[in-house]
Amino acid sequence: MKKLLIAAAVSSAALVSPMAAHAQKVGLAMAQLDTFLTILKNGTLEAGKKAGATVQVEDAGNDVGKQLSQIQNMIAQKYDAIIVNPVDTDATPKITKMVSDAGIALVYVNRKPVDFEKLPKGVAFVASDEKVSGTLQTQEVCRLLKGKGQVLVLMGELSNEAARTRTKDIEEVVATKDCSGIKIADKREGAWDRTKGQDITTNWLSSGVKFDAIIANNDEMAIGAINALKAAKKWTPASIVAGIDATPDALASMKAGDLKVTVFQNAAGQGSGAVEAAIKLIKKQPVDRFVNVPFELVTPANLSKYSGKN
């Protein structure tokens, strides 16, 4: 009888999958939880649930020291994988070394690590190619301006690789033959923030700077610029303001006839892609160093296609 019970126990144990025996524990270290990054976080949580993994979220509140401490805690708790949306992309070499030395799978999401070219095996980066984002955005602004005019640029945090690349995209497009009649009148760092975007635009209006369009590195700053133009009674239906991300607020602004250009960055897709990469790395399966989630231009003409996507 005792032998039969032991055999039954062994048989039952064999039926339990490795996944059930050990649900993968994934840490998600977020730079902050603004509109776009909250969508990314939610996409990560949903993908984790579908994969049977436990995802623990930490919000650094845009504090690089706090984020490093959160990641150290995840390492100490022996997470199976850590997904990092870095506060400061210049801090990623330290993060890469910490996590890799601990033998933990690492996935960067949305913000390109400065050490991307040197990432070791077991580390991946899931995002959209920033060379495309600012390029699509500025080419559309150039088309609307017919290749001539003065533009103002609202930049994200310059500690962030995406802000630097998107701004460089703008400069490269206006240097092309078709857009060479466009001049950048001024550039200011708005730190991805709606209120800062509004304040900078208010200052531009007060100073009397002449411009034909405002190109922002993200939708939040673009919406801030629109709010400033409206508050100063300088807004007209022909005003051109461009953003990036196609957030719900941005799409609502475009539907209302305000925002003229944005670029769809699939936040939820990046989140789910990061989880998929993390699970593969845990299982020692091959993952490309860069997993691309493509950008797509959004204008009033194709707006209906993107409603409800982000």
Side-chain angles (χ1 to χ4, degrees):
M1 183 69 180
K2 192 173 180 182
K3 285 183 179 178
L4 285 173
L5 287 171
I6 291 170
V10 171
S11 178
S12 297
L15 294 174
V16 179
S17 71
M19 194 74 164
H22 173 61
Q24 280 123 337
K25 193 174 179 183
V26 178
L28 176 61
M30 297 297 299
Q32 59 180 329
L33 290 175
D34 59 17
T35 305
F36 178 83
L37 292 177
T38 297
I39 297 167
L40 189 153
K41 178 206 74 173
N42 292 341
T44 306
L45 291 174
E46 189 175 329
K49 191 175 179 181
K50 285 180 181 175
T54 301
V55 179
Q56 177 64 42
V57 183
E58 295 291 348
D59 174 13
N62 226 22
D63 181 330
V64 67
K66 185 177 180 181
Q67 183 167 66
L68 289 171
S69 177
Q70 289 168 341
I71 293 168
Q72 284 168 341
N73 287 338
M74 291 175 183
I75 292 169
Q77 291 172 41
K78 301 189 185 322
Y79 279 58
D80 297 298
I82 300 175
I83 297 170
V84 180
N85 169 243
V87 170
D88 183 347
T89 50
D90 287 338
T92 57
K94 185 172 184 178
I95 295 169
T96 302
K97 187 174 190 316
M98 283 166 41
V99 180
S100 296
D101 284 355
I104 295 171
L106 172 62
V107 178
Y108 288 105
V109 66
N110 180 253
R111 296 178 176 180
K112 186 177 181 181
V114 73
D115 54 334
F116 171 72
E117 299 297 340
K118 299 176 182 176
L119 291 180
K121 192 176 179 182
V123 183
F125 170 49
V126 178
S128 304
D129 184 357
E130 294 297 354
K131 281 293 296 173
V132 177
S133 60
T135 301
L136 286 174
Q137 174 197 43
T138 311
Q139 285 173 340
E140 179 62 11
V141 170
C142 173
R143 188 188 72 79
L144 292 171
L145 291 176
K146 297 181 171 57
K148 296 178 183 177
Q150 299 268 95
V151 299
L152 297 170
V153 179
L154 285 166
M155 302 181 290
E157 288 168 330
L158 293 177
S159 63
N160 190 299
E161 190 272 343
R164 298 193 295 265
T165 303
R166 291 177 186 186
T167 301
K168 188 179 178 185
D169 293 343
I170 296 167
E171 294 165 346
E172 289 179 352
V173 171
V174 301
T176 62
K177 184 180 176 182
D178 290 345
C179 305
S180 58
I182 296 174
K183 305 298 176 192
I184 297 173
D186 197 10
K187 296 183 293 188
R188 295 294 168 95
E189 185 176 348
W192 308 116
D193 185 75
R194 186 181 301 198
T195 302
K196 287 181 181 176
Q198 182 166 344
D199 291 344
I200 292 167
T201 305
T202 299
N203 290 337
W204 275 329
L205 293 169
S206 300
S207 71
V209 63
K210 303 292 183 188
F211 63 93
D212 302 289
I214 296 175
I215 304 175
N217 282 171
N218 78 335
D219 289 333
E220 284 295 290
M221 292 187 294
I223 291 168
I226 291 168
N227 291 343
L229 289 167
K230 288 185 173 182
K233 295 186 167 43
K234 297 289 186 182
W235 178 262
T236 73
S239 296
I240 298 171
V241 177
I244 291 173
D245 288 336
T247 62
D249 284 356
L251 297 176
S253 177
M254 186 174 284
K255 189 174 182 180
D258 297 340
L259 189 69
K260 298 299 189 294
V261 181
T262 188
V263 181
F264 177 62
Q265 181 175 195
N266 191 341
Q270 288 183 5
S272 61
V275 170
E276 184 179 336
I279 300 294
K280 283 182 178 178
L281 288 171
I282 291 168
K283 295 177 178 178
K284 309 295 184 189
Q285 294 174 355
V287 177
D288 289 340
R289 179 186 291 173
F290 175 49
V291 179
N292 185 29
V293 181
F295 277 112
E296 300 169 41
L297 180 68
V298 184
T299 68
N302 68 351
L303 173 62
S304 60
K305 178 183 170 185
Y306 294 92
S307 296
K309 272 199 173 187
N310 254 350

CSV table of all heavy atoms in Angstrom, one decimal, residues 3 24 50 52 115 121 126 130 153 210 224 239 247 273:
chain,number,residue,atom,x,y,z
A,3,LYS,N,3.9,1.5,-1.0
A,3,LYS,CA,4.6,1.6,-2.3
A,3,LYS,C,3.7,2.2,-3.4
A,3,LYS,O,4.1,3.0,-4.2
A,3,LYS,CB,5.1,0.2,-2.9
A,3,LYS,CG,6.3,-0.3,-2.1
A,3,LYS,CD,6.7,-1.6,-2.7
A,3,LYS,CE,8.0,-2.1,-2.0
A,3,LYS,NZ,8.4,-3.4,-2.5
A,24,GLN,N,7.9,32.2,-13.1
A,24,GLN,CA,9.1,33.1,-13.3
A,24,GLN,C,8.8,34.5,-12.6
A,24,GLN,O,7.7,35.0,-12.7
A,24,GLN,CB,9.3,33.3,-14.8
A,24,GLN,CG,10.2,32.2,-15.3
A,24,GLN,CD,9.5,31.5,-16.5
A,24,GLN,OE1,8.3,31.6,-16.6
A,24,GLN,NE2,10.3,30.8,-17.3
A,50,LYS,N,-0.4,36.6,-18.9
A,50,LYS,CA,-0.6,35.6,-19.9
A,50,LYS,C,0.5,34.5,-19.9
A,50,LYS,O,0.2,33.4,-20.2
A,50,LYS,CB,-0.7,36.3,-21.3
A,50,LYS,CG,-2.0,37.0,-21.5
A,50,LYS,CD,-2.0,37.7,-22.9
A,50,LYS,CE,-3.3,38.4,-23.1
A,50,LYS,NZ,-3.3,39.2,-24.4
A,52,GLY,N,2.1,33.5,-17.4
A,52,GLY,CA,2.2,32.8,-16.1
A,52,GLY,C,3.3,33.3,-15.2
A,52,GLY,O,3.8,32.6,-14.3
A,115,ASP,N,25.2,51.7,-23.5
A,115,ASP,CA,26.2,50.6,-23.8
A,115,ASP,C,25.6,49.6,-24.8
A,115,ASP,O,26.0,48.4,-24.8
A,115,ASP,CB,26.6,49.9,-22.5
A,115,ASP,CG,25.5,49.5,-21.6
A,115,ASP,OD1,24.4,50.0,-21.7
A,115,ASP,OD2,25.6,48.5,-20.8
A,121,LYS,N,25.8,38.7,-23.9
A,121,LYS,CA,24.7,37.7,-24.1
A,121,LYS,C,23.8,37.7,-22.9
A,121,LYS,O,24.3,37.7,-21.8
A,121,LYS,CB,25.4,36.4,-24.4
A,121,LYS,CG,24.5,35.3,-24.9
A,121,LYS,CD,25.3,34.0,-25.2
A,121,LYS,CE,24.3,32.9,-25.7
A,121,LYS,NZ,25.0,31.7,-26.0
A,126,VAL,N,14.3,46.2,-26.1
A,126,VAL,CA,13.0,46.2,-26.8
A,126,VAL,C,12.5,47.7,-26.9
A,126,VAL,O,12.3,48.3,-25.9
A,126,VAL,CB,12.0,45.3,-26.1
A,126,VAL,CG1,10.6,45.4,-26.9
A,126,VAL,CG2,12.5,43.9,-26.0
A,130,GLU,N,14.4,55.0,-32.7
A,130,GLU,CA,14.3,56.5,-32.6
A,130,GLU,C,14.7,57.2,-33.9
A,130,GLU,O,14.3,58.4,-34.0
A,130,GLU,CB,15.0,57.0,-31.4
A,130,GLU,CG,14.4,56.5,-30.1
A,130,GLU,CD,13.0,57.0,-29.8
A,130,GLU,OE1,12.5,57.8,-30.6
A,130,GLU,OE2,12.4,56.5,-28.8
A,153,VAL,N,11.7,74.0,-31.2
A,153,VAL,CA,11.8,72.6,-30.8
A,153,VAL,C,11.8,72.4,-29.2
A,153,VAL,O,12.5,73.1,-28.5
A,153,VAL,CB,13.1,71.9,-31.3
A,153,VAL,CG1,13.2,70.5,-30.8
A,153,VAL,CG2,13.2,72.0,-32.8
A,210,LYS,N,9.4,84.7,-33.6
A,210,LYS,CA,8.5,84.3,-34.8
A,210,LYS,C,8.7,82.8,-35.1
A,210,LYS,O,9.8,82.3,-35.2
A,210,LYS,CB,8.9,85.2,-36.0
A,210,LYS,CG,8.8,86.7,-35.8
A,210,LYS,CD,7.4,87.1,-35.6
A,210,LYS,CE,7.3,88.6,-35.4
A,210,LYS,NZ,6.0,89.1,-35.0
A,224,GLY,N,1.2,70.7,-24.1
A,224,GLY,CA,1.5,71.9,-23.3
A,224,GLY,C,1.7,73.1,-24.1
A,224,GLY,O,1.2,74.2,-23.8
A,239,SER,N,-2.7,76.4,-36.9
A,239,SER,CA,-1.4,76.3,-36.1
A,239,SER,C,-0.9,74.8,-36.2
A,239,SER,O,-1.7,73.9,-36.1
A,239,SER,CB,-1.7,76.6,-34.6
A,239,SER,OG,-2.1,77.9,-34.5
A,247,THR,N,-0.4,59.1,-27.7
A,247,THR,CA,-1.0,58.8,-26.4
A,247,THR,C,-2.5,59.1,-26.6
A,247,THR,O,-3.0,59.8,-27.5
A,247,THR,CB,-0.5,59.6,-25.3
A,247,THR,OG1,-0.8,61.0,-25.6
A,247,THR,CG2,1.0,59.4,-25.1
A,273,GLY,N,6.6,42.9,-25.6
A,273,GLY,CA,7.8,42.4,-26.2
A,273,GLY,C,8.9,42.2,-25.2
A,273,GLY,O,9.7,41.3,-25.3
